[in-house]
Amino acid sequence: MDHDEMLALFDDRIRRNTPPDPGCRVERDGAVVRQVGSEHSWNGVVWSGLDEAGADAAIAAQVRHFAGLGLEFEWKAYSHDRPADLGARLLAAGFTPEPDETLMLARIADLPAEAALPEGVRLLPVTDPAGVDLLMDAHTQAFGAENPRLRERLLDHLRHGVGTVSMVVAMAGDRPVSGARMELIPGTGFAGLWGGGTAPDWRGRGIYRALIAHRARLAAELGYEYLQVDASDQSRPILQRLGFAWVSTTTPYVRRP
């Protein structure tokens, strides 16, 4: 399968026909597919098939819909989406862009099955709120800021995502130094890898690669074929060396009520 075929499969299964996250619902509004949940859930547009004539009206309709619910939401736009000026139209409608990310896809069978952890580091599955606290501690060290909304979302995963979400934290002794999660998307063959941030003083020692390999093994054991990552500039080179393909660029456009 070449990159274009893999991207088409991703668009079809993960965007146009996406199943909802646990505790959420997927709605179709004309040429727009959106997910709606609680204030702690990811709310937003996952796919749109717009043309120049109808794009502005469709954007305005989504703004009204989420404003009526009192929810902040994200329009997850991709570089291959149409119309070509979708990003400019979202800016004109009051959205705020967040940093671009690289959509990277891989066939699990093509990835390394093992990656060694540094001496003294172990992986701890996250199965309770105390584990979420450890994961958020690692996240704060890695990214330099607390994220209380993410913490609530991870707790929602524990409550509603049994069997579809796997979280893990890398422990150096009693200190959490890295963490990540995997979101399984039943019926699609795809699993999404999220997080993967490592404390600055522990970077460059292979923990990120080990977290990728750990989650890839779990996904393969459960019958999944593909992994998806929205990669930062920092993680993209590592993922490319592991065998992930750069297939598009995604920009989160956020609209607050």
mmCIF file of all heavy atoms in Angstrom, residues 116-157:
data_model
loop_
_atom_site.group_PDB
_atom_site.id
_atom_site.type_symbol
_atom_site.label_atom_id
_atom_site.label_comp_id
_atom_site.label_asym_id
_atom_site.label_seq_id
_atom_site.Cartn_x
_atom_site.Cartn_y
_atom_site.Cartn_z
ATOM 1 N N ALA A 116 14.715 -1.143 23.652
ATOM 2 C CA ALA A 116 15.185 -1.285 25.028
ATOM 3 C C ALA A 116 14.958 -0.008 25.820
ATOM 4 O O ALA A 116 15.155 1.110 25.317
ATOM 5 C CB ALA A 116 16.664 -1.643 25.035
ATOM 6 N N LEU A 117 14.552 -0.174 27.057
ATOM 7 C CA LEU A 117 14.466 0.945 27.995
ATOM 8 C C LEU A 117 15.826 1.188 28.640
ATOM 9 O O LEU A 117 16.640 0.269 28.772
ATOM 10 C CB LEU A 117 13.445 0.629 29.089
ATOM 11 C CG LEU A 117 11.970 0.718 28.714
ATOM 12 C CD1 LEU A 117 11.125 -0.019 29.744
ATOM 13 C CD2 LEU A 117 11.531 2.173 28.589
ATOM 14 N N PRO A 118 16.084 2.424 29.068
ATOM 15 C CA PRO A 118 17.323 2.675 29.814
ATOM 16 C C PRO A 118 17.333 1.867 31.114
ATOM 17 O O PRO A 118 16.280 1.531 31.668
ATOM 18 C CB PRO A 118 17.259 4.180 30.106
ATOM 19 C CG PRO A 118 16.259 4.735 29.166
ATOM 20 C CD PRO A 118 15.275 3.640 28.881
ATOM 21 N N GLU A 119 18.519 1.590 31.596
ATOM 22 C CA GLU A 119 18.649 0.861 32.857
ATOM 23 C C GLU A 119 17.940 1.619 33.973
ATOM 24 O O GLU A 119 18.077 2.842 34.114
ATOM 25 C CB GLU A 119 20.127 0.667 33.206
ATOM 26 C CG GLU A 119 20.356 -0.171 34.444
ATOM 27 C CD GLU A 119 21.826 -0.410 34.712
ATOM 28 O OE1 GLU A 119 22.657 -0.028 33.862
ATOM 29 O OE2 GLU A 119 22.138 -0.987 35.781
ATOM 30 N N GLY A 120 17.152 0.905 34.758
ATOM 31 C CA GLY A 120 16.461 1.510 35.890
ATOM 32 C C GLY A 120 15.104 2.094 35.563
ATOM 33 O O GLY A 120 14.429 2.612 36.463
ATOM 34 N N VAL A 121 14.684 2.019 34.296
ATOM 35 C CA VAL A 121 13.380 2.544 33.896
ATOM 36 C C VAL A 121 12.447 1.376 33.604
ATOM 37 O O VAL A 121 12.842 0.402 32.951
ATOM 38 C CB VAL A 121 13.492 3.452 32.651
ATOM 39 C CG1 VAL A 121 12.111 3.914 32.174
ATOM 40 C CG2 VAL A 121 14.358 4.668 32.975
ATOM 41 N N ARG A 122 11.226 1.482 34.091
ATOM 42 C CA ARG A 122 10.230 0.439 33.860
ATOM 43 C C ARG A 122 8.934 1.104 33.374
ATOM 44 O O ARG A 122 8.697 2.287 33.627
ATOM 45 C CB ARG A 122 9.953 -0.363 35.134
ATOM 46 C CG ARG A 122 9.185 0.403 36.202
ATOM 47 C CD ARG A 122 9.120 -0.349 37.517
ATOM 48 N NE ARG A 122 8.165 0.227 38.455
ATOM 49 C CZ ARG A 122 8.360 1.295 39.198
ATOM 50 N NH1 ARG A 122 9.524 1.949 39.113
ATOM 51 N NH2 ARG A 122 7.422 1.737 40.024
ATOM 52 N N LEU A 123 8.097 0.321 32.700
ATOM 53 C CA LEU A 123 6.809 0.816 32.233
ATOM 54 C C LEU A 123 5.714 0.363 33.190
ATOM 55 O O LEU A 123 5.630 -0.818 33.550
ATOM 56 C CB LEU A 123 6.514 0.306 30.824
ATOM 57 C CG LEU A 123 7.475 0.769 29.730
ATOM 58 C CD1 LEU A 123 6.983 0.280 28.364
ATOM 59 C CD2 LEU A 123 7.635 2.279 29.724
ATOM 60 N N LEU A 124 4.873 1.308 33.594
ATOM 61 C CA LEU A 124 3.795 1.045 34.539
ATOM 62 C C LEU A 124 2.461 1.330 33.869
ATOM 63 O O LEU A 124 2.194 2.479 33.481
ATOM 64 C CB LEU A 124 3.966 1.937 35.776
ATOM 65 C CG LEU A 124 2.888 1.834 36.862
ATOM 66 C CD1 LEU A 124 2.991 0.473 37.560
ATOM 67 C CD2 LEU A 124 3.067 2.964 37.877
ATOM 68 N N PRO A 125 1.598 0.326 33.703
ATOM 69 C CA PRO A 125 0.278 0.592 33.124
ATOM 70 C C PRO A 125 -0.526 1.530 34.016
ATOM 71 O O PRO A 125 -0.461 1.446 35.255
ATOM 72 C CB PRO A 125 -0.372 -0.802 33.058
ATOM 73 C CG PRO A 125 0.771 -1.769 33.119
ATOM 74 C CD PRO A 125 1.818 -1.114 33.963
ATOM 75 N N VAL A 126 -1.297 2.413 33.398
ATOM 76 C CA VAL A 126 -2.150 3.347 34.133
ATOM 77 C C VAL A 126 -3.550 2.754 34.181
ATOM 78 O O VAL A 126 -4.205 2.592 33.150
ATOM 79 C CB VAL A 126 -2.166 4.724 33.447
ATOM 80 C CG1 VAL A 126 -3.186 5.641 34.110
ATOM 81 C CG2 VAL A 126 -0.773 5.345 33.502
ATOM 82 N N THR A 127 -4.012 2.431 35.405
ATOM 83 C CA THR A 127 -5.301 1.773 35.553
ATOM 84 C C THR A 127 -6.213 2.445 36.573
ATOM 85 O O THR A 127 -7.343 1.983 36.781
ATOM 86 C CB THR A 127 -5.103 0.301 35.978
ATOM 87 O OG1 THR A 127 -4.370 0.262 37.215
ATOM 88 C CG2 THR A 127 -4.326 -0.472 34.910
ATOM 89 N N ASP A 128 -5.743 3.520 37.198
ATOM 90 C CA ASP A 128 -6.555 4.170 38.227
ATOM 91 C C ASP A 128 -6.180 5.651 38.288
ATOM 92 O O ASP A 128 -5.229 6.100 37.628
ATOM 93 C CB ASP A 128 -6.349 3.489 39.587
ATOM 94 C CG ASP A 128 -4.888 3.440 40.020
ATOM 95 O OD1 ASP A 128 -4.086 4.273 39.552
ATOM 96 O OD2 ASP A 128 -4.541 2.566 40.840
ATOM 97 N N PRO A 129 -6.936 6.461 39.060
ATOM 98 C CA PRO A 129 -6.637 7.895 39.132
ATOM 99 C C PRO A 129 -5.226 8.210 39.598
ATOM 100 O O PRO A 129 -4.636 9.203 39.171
ATOM 101 C CB PRO A 129 -7.690 8.413 40.127
ATOM 102 C CG PRO A 129 -8.859 7.478 39.954
ATOM 103 C CD PRO A 129 -8.220 6.133 39.729
ATOM 104 N N ALA A 130 -4.670 7.373 40.488
ATOM 105 C CA ALA A 130 -3.290 7.613 40.927
ATOM 106 C C ALA A 130 -2.326 7.482 39.750
ATOM 107 O O ALA A 130 -1.352 8.247 39.633
ATOM 108 C CB ALA A 130 -2.909 6.637 42.038
ATOM 109 N N GLY A 131 -2.600 6.533 38.863
ATOM 110 C CA GLY A 131 -1.771 6.393 37.668
ATOM 111 C C GLY A 131 -1.914 7.583 36.740
ATOM 112 O O GLY A 131 -0.935 8.025 36.114
ATOM 113 N N VAL A 132 -3.132 8.125 36.631
ATOM 114 C CA VAL A 132 -3.343 9.330 35.822
ATOM 115 C C VAL A 132 -2.527 10.487 36.382
ATOM 116 O O VAL A 132 -1.938 11.275 35.628
ATOM 117 C CB VAL A 132 -4.838 9.681 35.751
ATOM 118 C CG1 VAL A 132 -5.041 11.065 35.137
ATOM 119 C CG2 VAL A 132 -5.595 8.633 34.936
ATOM 120 N N ASP A 133 -2.476 10.603 37.709
ATOM 121 C CA ASP A 133 -1.662 11.667 38.321
ATOM 122 C C ASP A 133 -0.195 11.515 37.937
ATOM 123 O O ASP A 133 0.495 12.509 37.643
ATOM 124 C CB ASP A 133 -1.822 11.642 39.839
ATOM 125 C CG ASP A 133 -3.189 12.123 40.298
ATOM 126 O OD1 ASP A 133 -3.873 12.806 39.514
ATOM 127 O OD2 ASP A 133 -3.570 11.809 41.438
ATOM 128 N N LEU A 134 0.316 10.290 37.925
ATOM 129 C CA LEU A 134 1.701 10.064 37.507
ATOM 130 C C LEU A 134 1.891 10.458 36.042
ATOM 131 O O LEU A 134 2.895 11.092 35.678
ATOM 132 C CB LEU A 134 2.080 8.597 37.707
ATOM 133 C CG LEU A 134 2.211 8.099 39.145
ATOM 134 C CD1 LEU A 134 2.417 6.588 39.158
ATOM 135 C CD2 LEU A 134 3.361 8.801 39.857
ATOM 136 N N LEU A 135 0.925 10.078 35.210
ATOM 137 C CA LEU A 135 1.014 10.400 33.787
ATOM 138 C C LEU A 135 1.000 11.906 33.571
ATOM 139 O O LEU A 135 1.757 12.442 32.756
ATOM 140 C CB LEU A 135 -0.148 9.740 33.047
ATOM 141 C CG LEU A 135 -0.168 9.842 31.521
ATOM 142 C CD1 LEU A 135 1.114 9.302 30.907
ATOM 143 C CD2 LEU A 135 -1.377 9.087 30.972
ATOM 144 N N MET A 136 0.159 12.621 34.326
ATOM 145 C CA MET A 136 0.097 14.074 34.186
ATOM 146 C C MET A 136 1.369 14.739 34.727
ATOM 147 O O MET A 136 1.790 15.778 34.204
ATOM 148 C CB MET A 136 -1.136 14.614 34.903
ATOM 149 C CG MET A 136 -2.460 14.250 34.225
ATOM 150 S SD MET A 136 -2.491 14.648 32.456
ATOM 151 C CE MET A 136 -2.117 16.406 32.481
ATOM 152 N N ASP A 137 1.967 14.162 35.733
ATOM 153 C CA ASP A 137 3.248 14.671 36.234
ATOM 154 C C ASP A 137 4.299 14.574 35.134
ATOM 155 O O ASP A 137 5.047 15.537 34.857
ATOM 156 C CB ASP A 137 3.677 13.867 37.461
ATOM 157 C CG ASP A 137 4.914 14.425 38.160
ATOM 158 O OD1 ASP A 137 5.608 15.286 37.582
ATOM 159 O OD2 ASP A 137 5.194 13.992 39.295
ATOM 160 N N ALA A 138 4.355 13.413 34.451
ATOM 161 C CA ALA A 138 5.296 13.258 33.341
ATOM 162 C C ALA A 138 4.991 14.241 32.224
ATOM 163 O O ALA A 138 5.903 14.828 31.616
ATOM 164 C CB ALA A 138 5.237 11.822 32.817
ATOM 165 N N HIS A 139 3.702 14.446 31.929
ATOM 166 C CA HIS A 139 3.289 15.382 30.879
ATOM 167 C C HIS A 139 3.748 16.800 31.207
ATOM 168 O O HIS A 139 4.257 17.519 30.341
ATOM 169 C CB HIS A 139 1.767 15.322 30.733
ATOM 170 C CG HIS A 139 1.222 16.202 29.643
ATOM 171 N ND1 HIS A 139 1.012 17.562 29.826
ATOM 172 C CD2 HIS A 139 0.852 15.929 28.363
ATOM 173 C CE1 HIS A 139 0.533 18.071 28.705
ATOM 174 N NE2 HIS A 139 0.431 17.114 27.816
ATOM 175 N N THR A 140 3.574 17.224 32.465
ATOM 176 C CA THR A 140 3.980 18.570 32.869
ATOM 177 C C THR A 140 5.484 18.748 32.731
ATOM 178 O O THR A 140 5.970 19.795 32.259
ATOM 179 C CB THR A 140 3.542 18.840 34.319
ATOM 180 O OG1 THR A 140 2.112 18.726 34.407
ATOM 181 C CG2 THR A 140 3.958 20.233 34.761
ATOM 182 N N GLN A 141 6.254 17.738 33.118
ATOM 183 C CA GLN A 141 7.705 17.818 32.959
ATOM 184 C C GLN A 141 8.094 17.912 31.483
ATOM 185 O O GLN A 141 9.001 18.666 31.111
ATOM 186 C CB GLN A 141 8.365 16.587 33.577
ATOM 187 C CG GLN A 141 8.248 16.466 35.071
ATOM 188 C CD GLN A 141 8.896 15.185 35.558
ATOM 189 O OE1 GLN A 141 10.115 14.993 35.427
ATOM 190 N NE2 GLN A 141 8.096 14.291 36.119
ATOM 191 N N ALA A 142 7.395 17.139 30.654
ATOM 192 C CA ALA A 142 7.773 17.072 29.238
ATOM 193 C C ALA A 142 7.415 18.335 28.483
ATOM 194 O O ALA A 142 8.185 18.804 27.630
ATOM 195 C CB ALA A 142 7.090 15.866 28.585
ATOM 196 N N PHE A 143 6.236 18.898 28.781
ATOM 197 C CA PHE A 143 5.725 20.001 27.970
ATOM 198 C C PHE A 143 5.726 21.349 28.689
ATOM 199 O O PHE A 143 5.358 22.360 28.099
ATOM 200 C CB PHE A 143 4.319 19.663 27.473
ATOM 201 C CG PHE A 143 4.278 18.422 26.625
ATOM 202 C CD1 PHE A 143 3.756 17.228 27.117
ATOM 203 C CD2 PHE A 143 4.801 18.424 25.344
ATOM 204 C CE1 PHE A 143 3.728 16.082 26.341
ATOM 205 C CE2 PHE A 143 4.784 17.280 24.553
ATOM 206 C CZ PHE A 143 4.252 16.108 25.063
ATOM 207 N N GLY A 144 6.113 21.360 29.953
ATOM 208 C CA GLY A 144 6.330 22.616 30.652
ATOM 209 C C GLY A 144 5.094 23.314 31.146
ATOM 210 O O GLY A 144 5.173 24.480 31.556
ATOM 211 N N ALA A 145 3.952 22.660 31.136
ATOM 212 C CA ALA A 145 2.722 23.300 31.600
ATOM 213 C C ALA A 145 1.739 22.237 32.056
ATOM 214 O O ALA A 145 1.695 21.128 31.510
ATOM 215 C CB ALA A 145 2.096 24.149 30.497
ATOM 216 N N GLU A 146 0.946 22.573 33.056
ATOM 217 C CA GLU A 146 -0.117 21.675 33.488
ATOM 218 C C GLU A 146 -1.280 21.740 32.500
ATOM 219 O O GLU A 146 -1.466 22.741 31.800
ATOM 220 C CB GLU A 146 -0.586 22.058 34.893
ATOM 221 C CG GLU A 146 0.492 21.877 35.959
ATOM 222 C CD GLU A 146 -0.020 22.185 37.346
ATOM 223 O OE1 GLU A 146 -1.196 22.590 37.474
ATOM 224 O OE2 GLU A 146 0.751 22.006 38.313
ATOM 225 N N ASN A 147 -2.053 20.677 32.461
ATOM 226 C CA ASN A 147 -3.179 20.609 31.530
ATOM 227 C C ASN A 147 -4.353 19.931 32.237
ATOM 228 O O ASN A 147 -4.596 18.738 32.059
ATOM 229 C CB ASN A 147 -2.777 19.834 30.268
ATOM 230 C CG ASN A 147 -3.807 19.936 29.162
ATOM 231 O OD1 ASN A 147 -4.992 20.183 29.409
ATOM 232 N ND2 ASN A 147 -3.375 19.756 27.928
ATOM 233 N N PRO A 148 -5.097 20.691 33.048
ATOM 234 C CA PRO A 148 -6.190 20.070 33.811
ATOM 235 C C PRO A 148 -7.284 19.481 32.938
ATOM 236 O O PRO A 148 -7.906 18.486 33.315
ATOM 237 C CB PRO A 148 -6.718 21.222 34.674
ATOM 238 C CG PRO A 148 -6.208 22.480 34.038
ATOM 239 C CD PRO A 148 -4.928 22.114 33.379
ATOM 240 N N ARG A 149 -7.521 20.045 31.758
ATOM 241 C CA ARG A 149 -8.545 19.478 30.878
ATOM 242 C C ARG A 149 -8.133 18.098 30.380
ATOM 243 O O ARG A 149 -8.955 17.188 30.271
ATOM 244 C CB ARG A 149 -8.810 20.398 29.688
ATOM 245 C CG ARG A 149 -9.549 21.672 30.044
ATOM 246 C CD ARG A 149 -10.020 22.397 28.813
ATOM 247 N NE ARG A 149 -10.982 21.597 28.059
ATOM 248 C CZ ARG A 149 -11.423 21.925 26.844
ATOM 249 N NH1 ARG A 149 -10.964 23.016 26.248
ATOM 250 N NH2 ARG A 149 -12.306 21.169 26.233
ATOM 251 N N LEU A 150 -6.838 17.944 30.078
ATOM 252 C CA LEU A 150 -6.359 16.630 29.663
ATOM 253 C C LEU A 150 -6.515 15.630 30.799
ATOM 254 O O LEU A 150 -6.909 14.476 30.568
ATOM 255 C CB LEU A 150 -4.895 16.708 29.218
ATOM 256 C CG LEU A 150 -4.246 15.377 28.841
ATOM 257 C CD1 LEU A 150 -4.986 14.710 27.691
ATOM 258 C CD2 LEU A 150 -2.773 15.579 28.491
ATOM 259 N N ARG A 151 -6.233 16.042 32.015
ATOM 260 C CA ARG A 151 -6.397 15.127 33.149
ATOM 261 C C ARG A 151 -7.837 14.637 33.236
ATOM 262 O O ARG A 151 -8.077 13.432 33.431
ATOM 263 C CB ARG A 151 -5.998 15.820 34.453
ATOM 264 C CG ARG A 151 -6.097 14.908 35.671
ATOM 265 C CD ARG A 151 -5.693 15.625 36.954
ATOM 266 N NE ARG A 151 -5.683 14.688 38.070
ATOM 267 C CZ ARG A 151 -6.761 14.326 38.756
ATOM 268 N NH1 ARG A 151 -7.951 14.833 38.424
ATOM 269 N NH2 ARG A 151 -6.674 13.459 39.734
ATOM 270 N N GLU A 152 -8.802 15.540 33.091
ATOM 271 C CA GLU A 152 -10.200 15.120 33.149
ATOM 272 C C GLU A 152 -10.538 14.175 31.992
ATOM 273 O O GLU A 152 -11.317 13.231 32.152
ATOM 274 C CB GLU A 152 -11.109 16.344 33.125
ATOM 275 C CG GLU A 152 -11.051 17.181 34.388
ATOM 276 C CD GLU A 152 -11.412 16.368 35.627
ATOM 277 O OE1 GLU A 152 -12.373 15.587 35.559
ATOM 278 O OE2 GLU A 152 -10.716 16.518 36.654
ATOM 279 N N ARG A 153 -9.957 14.426 30.826
ATOM 280 C CA ARG A 153 -10.211 13.557 29.681
ATOM 281 C C ARG A 153 -9.645 12.153 29.938
ATOM 282 O O ARG A 153 -10.279 11.151 29.586
ATOM 283 C CB ARG A 153 -9.592 14.158 28.423
ATOM 284 C CG ARG A 153 -10.047 13.496 27.130
ATOM 285 C CD ARG A 153 -9.415 14.152 25.926
ATOM 286 N NE ARG A 153 -9.698 15.584 25.887
ATOM 287 C CZ ARG A 153 -9.072 16.447 25.103
ATOM 288 N NH1 ARG A 153 -8.106 16.022 24.300
ATOM 289 N NH2 ARG A 153 -9.391 17.718 25.127
ATOM 290 N N LEU A 154 -8.468 12.094 30.551
ATOM 291 C CA LEU A 154 -7.885 10.784 30.852
ATOM 292 C C LEU A 154 -8.713 10.041 31.900
ATOM 293 O O LEU A 154 -8.872 8.818 31.817
ATOM 294 C CB LEU A 154 -6.447 10.951 31.340
ATOM 295 C CG LEU A 154 -5.464 11.576 30.342
ATOM 296 C CD1 LEU A 154 -4.068 11.639 30.941
ATOM 297 C CD2 LEU A 154 -5.454 10.829 29.028
ATOM 298 N N LEU A 155 -9.248 10.768 32.875
ATOM 299 C CA LEU A 155 -10.131 10.125 33.846
ATOM 300 C C LEU A 155 -11.402 9.626 33.169
ATOM 301 O O LEU A 155 -11.920 8.553 33.516
ATOM 302 C CB LEU A 155 -10.468 11.109 34.976
ATOM 303 C CG LEU A 155 -9.309 11.457 35.909
ATOM 304 C CD1 LEU A 155 -9.710 12.571 36.865
ATOM 305 C CD2 LEU A 155 -8.841 10.227 36.693
ATOM 306 N N ASP A 156 -11.901 10.388 32.181
ATOM 307 C CA ASP A 156 -13.045 9.912 31.400
ATOM 308 C C ASP A 156 -12.699 8.619 30.667
ATOM 309 O O ASP A 156 -13.527 7.705 30.559
ATOM 310 C CB ASP A 156 -13.492 10.972 30.385
ATOM 311 C CG ASP A 156 -14.395 12.024 31.007
ATOM 312 O OD1 ASP A 156 -14.900 11.805 32.123
ATOM 313 O OD2 ASP A 156 -14.606 13.078 30.369
ATOM 314 N N HIS A 157 -11.471 8.541 30.159
ATOM 315 C CA HIS A 157 -11.040 7.318 29.487
ATOM 316 C C HIS A 157 -11.101 6.125 30.451
ATOM 317 O O HIS A 157 -11.510 5.026 30.075
ATOM 318 C CB HIS A 157 -9.614 7.464 28.956
ATOM 319 C CG HIS A 157 -9.503 8.280 27.709
ATOM 320 N ND1 HIS A 157 -10.410 8.217 26.692
ATOM 321 C CD2 HIS A 157 -8.555 9.185 27.314
ATOM 322 C CE1 HIS A 157 -10.045 9.036 25.724
ATOM 323 N NE2 HIS A 157 -8.934 9.633 26.071
#
